[in-house]
Amino acid sequence: MKKRKIMAMALSCLMVLSAVGCGNGDSGSTSGSAAGTGSSAATNQSSAQAQTGGTEGAEITLWTYPIGKWGDSATVDGLIANFNAVHPEIKVTVEYLDYSNGDDQINTAIEGNQAPDIVLEGPERLVANWGAKGLMVDLADLWTDEAKAAIYESVESACKGSDGVYYEYPLCMTAHTMAINKDIFEAAGAMQYIDEANGTWTTDDFIKAVQAVYDSGQANVGAVYCNGQGGDQGTRALVNNLYGGTFTNAEHTEYTANSEENIKALQLLYDMDGINYDASIVGGDEINMFCNGTLAMAFCWNIAQEKNNLDKINFDVLPMAFPSTGDPKLCGGIWGFGIFNNGDEAKIAAAKTFIDFMANDEKQAVESVKASSYWPVKDLGNIYEGDDLMTEYSKFVPYMGDYYQVVGGWAEARTAWWNMLQQVGSGVDVKTAVEEFVATSNAAANAAQ
Amino acid sequence: MAAEKKNPMSKALVRRETIAGYAFMLPSLVFFLGFVIYPMVQCVITSFFDATMNREDIFIGLANYTELFQDTVFLGALRNTAVIVIVSVPVVCIFSLWVSSVIYDLKGAACSAFRCIFYLPVVTGSVAVTVVWKWMFNNYYGIFNYVGTSTGLLKQNINWLGDERYALGCIILILLTTSVGQPIVLYVSALNNVDQSLVEAAEVDGATKFQCFWKIKWPQIMPTTLYILVITTINSFQCFALIQLLTSGGPNHSTDTIMYYIYYNAFKLYRYGYGNAMGVVLAVIIAVLSAVQFKLAERD
């Protein structure tokens, strides 16, 4: 009887421990670093060399996050067919990731020495995460003087680590905007506060417009969603733009969200009629509620949202820059290629050949960018000529602000951000909540250095 | 002499059967060792390390445990978990016993129908169940707000999952609906197995229905009750999917549970050592509680 009781208790423990037994292999032993250490000298060969030498019969793997149609196998197969028409000697295998577990898949692959050769994603992962950990190849040879002259400066700086090494070669970019339900705004007489041609408004006009919409009977004008980190670029951009605050310092070494400007912005949003801090929804929910007319504006928006929801929307959507006291500074997305240093020079050379073709080949680059549904990172002319929607959104690209997502401790800071918004929404003093956010985030940033 | 001759034969037979028995056990034993025991041991070992992705683990002794008990979010999660257990375990046990005692002696089809209804949330995917509840609790167009405001019970919409005063209560309510199915099925079976001759004899002797239940049925279904208590306690401690899908621990950490916080540290921040330290603490708590439950049941 006693033995049975002990067994029963032991089994209870087992159920819990096996559920959380998620260690990463032998403690104290070497974690399998797929990429070796650092951007090795092995990679310092020229782009020309990469295209001619050592790629014969190479097989490389490309793992891509769902960046537009780069997450669609039919489209990517077409792009790879183009590549193989020029480089039949290189075989490319593709795996499609999603944002809910893509990072886990890659991190697990790194631990198991099975990291992909190429990843298509943004600087926050390629540069600030895997690059900073020394897992990525230095792409300096792709960043020729010609490339540096052609690619926008803000994009170039985002593709470099704090050590000055290029861990990403960019392909496309976008600026995240917000959007309003034009029908509701017109009915409320609030369009007078909007510069419709440029898609901009001042903070004062934003306040007046929201009040007008609220007074017209639309109780839920906008929602500062904070159930999780999904779509948090919208709330960050909103808060930072209202009074010209910043999220980090210019060097991306310290979080600065506790500035007076940001505190004032958070307080303003808390006090405004029609704007709710909503801890029950994330960015995706907010988009759905905007599309079904529950909310009159969406802070989590970009061209992809409008394209993806065309069939659900039965009103006129007007994309807008975030309200600001000066020029708006929009959060951007920059996507490009990074190469994991798997120690195989032939594969690295083949991977560089692939990137060079996809991003630099005169004809292919346009097709590669179009597949992303975003805009090129250099002047390729108007690649969306005749596409009214893309042309409408292209006016926001010049407003792209500092790409601060490469700051250390980003994962912790993102979580701390929506927790801070929840605190503000539940009535905690704004300054107290923001100071706590900055302390948590800076501690994470320091730990990451 | 005859016995001496027989012994070697039976020993060989026993040995052969024992070997065959172990051979049959081997696949599941290997699986058990590899996928249950090994992770469990790793969990305990890693809890003494600063373990994360893409670098060597660093031995830090008890630092994870020290940090744990200074971490206000963890302590809050511990409190929330305790509230969930304290509320849900008795409610599940009492409610399922009540329902079972009402339906167990119904005619076949009726009893099956009720069992089916109560068991449905168990076999329905937790994600599907959660999505429906999320819609019902929706701040803007959820059915609870609609009914509440339509009938005048509510003056304005309540953000059920976004307001820290209500969020944990909502989680517990959903947990209850998904937790009662299995106990009801178990209790119905247990009540059907009660020796009816004893009940009939007691009734002939003038025992009331309550006396029949308390003096005859209750002791006989005690092992089932103990089992339900233990599994409900463990399930309540391990409440995770609901939190992950509905509130992400918010608002303002009001629905953080230990399991969710373990997940957050291990799979969002990649702090495996810290997450595993929490896992060990949770296992110890559950073991102690299980021991207490066994002890109390033994005394009864």
Side-chain angles (χ1 to χ4, degrees), chain A residues 316-337:
Chain A
D316 198 0
V317 174
L318 187 63
M320 293 289 297
F322 286 91
S324 62
T325 48
D327 279 342
K329 290 186 170 36
L330 303 184
C331 269
I334 298 171
W335 295 276
F337 301 98

Side-chain angles (χ1 to χ4, degrees), chain A residues 139-346:
Chain A
L139 301 178
D141 45 350
L142 283 170
W143 280 92
T144 59
D145 290 342
E146 193 187 345
K148 285 179 189 171
I151 293 169
Y152 304 132
E153 206 177 323
S154 60
V155 176
E156 184 192 342
S157 70
C159 293
K160 271 192 294 194
S162 54
D163 51 4
V165 176
Y166 291 96
Y167 294 115
E168 176 176 337
Y169 195 77
L171 174 69
C172 57
M173 62 190 284
T174 192
H176 298 296
T177 65
M178 58 178 288
I180 63 167
N181 181 325
K182 196 176 167 188
D183 295 4
I184 292 179
F185 271 62
E186 273 177 346
M191 288 303 290
Q192 58 179 309
Y193 304 114
I194 286 167
D195 179 350
E196 194 176 345
N198 292 315
T200 55
W201 46 0
T202 64
T203 299
D204 284 343
D205 283 340
F206 168 75
I207 296 167
K208 288 174 190 163
V210 170
Q211 191 62 51
V213 173
Y214 179 78
D215 290 342
S216 74
Q218 174 77 25
N220 303 302
V221 183
V224 181
Y225 48 88
C226 47
N227 177 260
Q229 67 184 36
D232 58 352
Q233 75 277 358
T235 52
R236 282 186 269 117
L238 175 65
V239 171
N240 289 158
N241 270 284
L242 279 169
Y243 292 107
T246 57
F247 202 74
T248 70
N249 61 4
E251 297 77 32
H252 306 144
T253 53
E254 192 184 338
Y255 292 87
T256 55
N258 57 344
S259 65
E260 275 183 29
E261 293 85 359
N262 287 323
I263 292 171
K264 195 174 167 188
L266 286 160
Q267 188 65 55
L268 171 74
L269 293 168
Y270 183 76
D271 294 336
M272 283 176 79
D273 289 334
I275 304 282
N276 305 312
Y277 282 78
D278 193 334
S280 69
I281 60 171
V282 288
D285 301 318
E286 189 230 24
I287 290 166
N288 287 334
M289 288 179 187
F290 174 68
C291 292
N292 68 23
T294 305
L295 295 171
M297 60 171 70
F299 300 126
C300 182
W301 199 256
N302 64 30
I303 177 68
Q305 309 308 336
E306 180 147 2
K307 281 188 166 182
N308 294 341
N309 292 293
L310 274 177
D311 57 334
K312 293 184 201 162
I313 299 171
N314 58 7
F315 54 86
D316 198 0
V317 174
L318 187 63
M320 293 289 297
F322 286 91
S324 62
T325 48
D327 279 342
K329 290 186 170 36
L330 303 184
C331 269
I334 298 171
W335 295 276
F337 301 98
I339 301 176
F340 275 104
N341 187 352
N342 286 321
D344 184 331
E345 292 190 25

Side-chain angles (χ1 to χ4, degrees), chain B residues 93-273:
Chain B
C93 289
I94 293 167
F95 180 78
S96 54
L97 179 59
W98 174 64
V99 172
S100 309
S101 57
V102 171
I103 68 171
Y104 85 100
D105 56 354
L106 291 178
K107 295 244 164 102
C111 183
S112 296
F114 277 110
R115 276 196 288 193
C116 226
I117 290 165
F118 283 108
Y119 206 67
L120 210 54
V122 181
V123 293
T124 310
S126 58
V127 174
V129 171
T130 308
V131 166
V132 173
W133 278 102
K134 189 172 185 178
W135 171 75
M136 292 199 289
F137 281 127
N138 189 285
N139 180 20
Y140 304 92
Y141 43 74
I143 196 163
F144 290 128
N145 278 330
Y146 176 75
V147 171
T149 49
S150 304
T151 56
L153 288 172
L154 301 176
K155 282 183 185 166
Q156 58 182 30
N157 284 1
I158 289 177
N159 194 350
W160 298 100
L161 297 170
D163 187 323
E164 55 189 289
R165 288 171 297 175
Y166 309 111
L168 190 61
C170 295
I171 296 287
I172 292 172
L173 177 66
I174 303 170
L175 187 66
L176 293 177
T177 64
T178 55
S179 301
V180 295
Q182 197 178 10
I184 287 174
V185 171
L186 291 170
Y187 268 134
V188 167
S189 299
L191 287 166
N192 276 321
N193 287 333
V194 169
D195 189 344
Q196 283 304 309
S197 63
L198 295 178
V199 178
E200 283 161 13
E203 281 173 349
V204 169
D205 289 342
T208 61
K209 279 197 180 264
F210 178 76
Q211 284 172 324
C212 283
F213 175 81
W214 191 243
K215 299 287 183 186
I216 299 168
K217 293 178 185 172
W218 178 246
Q220 291 191 56
I221 61 171
M222 199 58 198
T224 305
T225 303
L226 181 60
Y227 175 71
I228 289 169
L229 270 177
V230 172
I231 60 157
T232 311
T233 305
I234 292 171
N235 287 342
S236 303
F237 265 110
Q238 295 190 344
C239 177
F240 168 74
L242 287 178
I243 311 284
Q244 159 75 350
L245 293 167
L246 287 176
T247 63
S248 305
N252 213 2
H253 298 292
S254 62
T255 59
D256 264 330
T257 60
I258 302 180
M259 278 304 277
Y260 181 78
Y261 200 48
I262 289 172
Y263 159 80
Y264 169 70
N265 274 280
F267 298 108
K268 290 288 176 191
L269 304 182
Y270 298 107
R271 295 189 66 194
Y272 293 122

Side-chain angles (χ1 to χ4, degrees), chain A residues 5 9 13-14 16-17 20 22 24-25 27 31 104 107 110-111 220 227 278 280 415 418 422-423 426, chain B residues 40 42 46 52-55 57 139-140 159 164 238 246-248 251-252 264 270 272 276 286-287 291 298:
Chain A
K5 273 191 282 181
M9 277 188 287
C13 296
L14 280 177
V16 176
L17 285 172
V20 299
C22 49
N24 60 336
S27 301
S31 292
D104 289 339
N107 284 322
I110 292 168
E111 287 290 303
N220 303 302
N227 177 260
D278 193 334
S280 69
T415 302
W418 56 264
Q422 288 186 350
Q423 283 182 299
S426 61
Chain B
M40 190 189 83
Q42 273 299 320
T46 318
T52 187
M53 278 279 188
N54 313 142
R55 70 154 165 77
D57 300 343
N139 180 20
Y140 304 92
N159 194 350
E164 55 189 289
Q238 295 190 344
L246 287 176
T247 63
S248 305
N252 213 2
Y264 169 70
Y270 298 107
Y272 293 122
N276 285 342
I286 292 179
E298 191 181 57

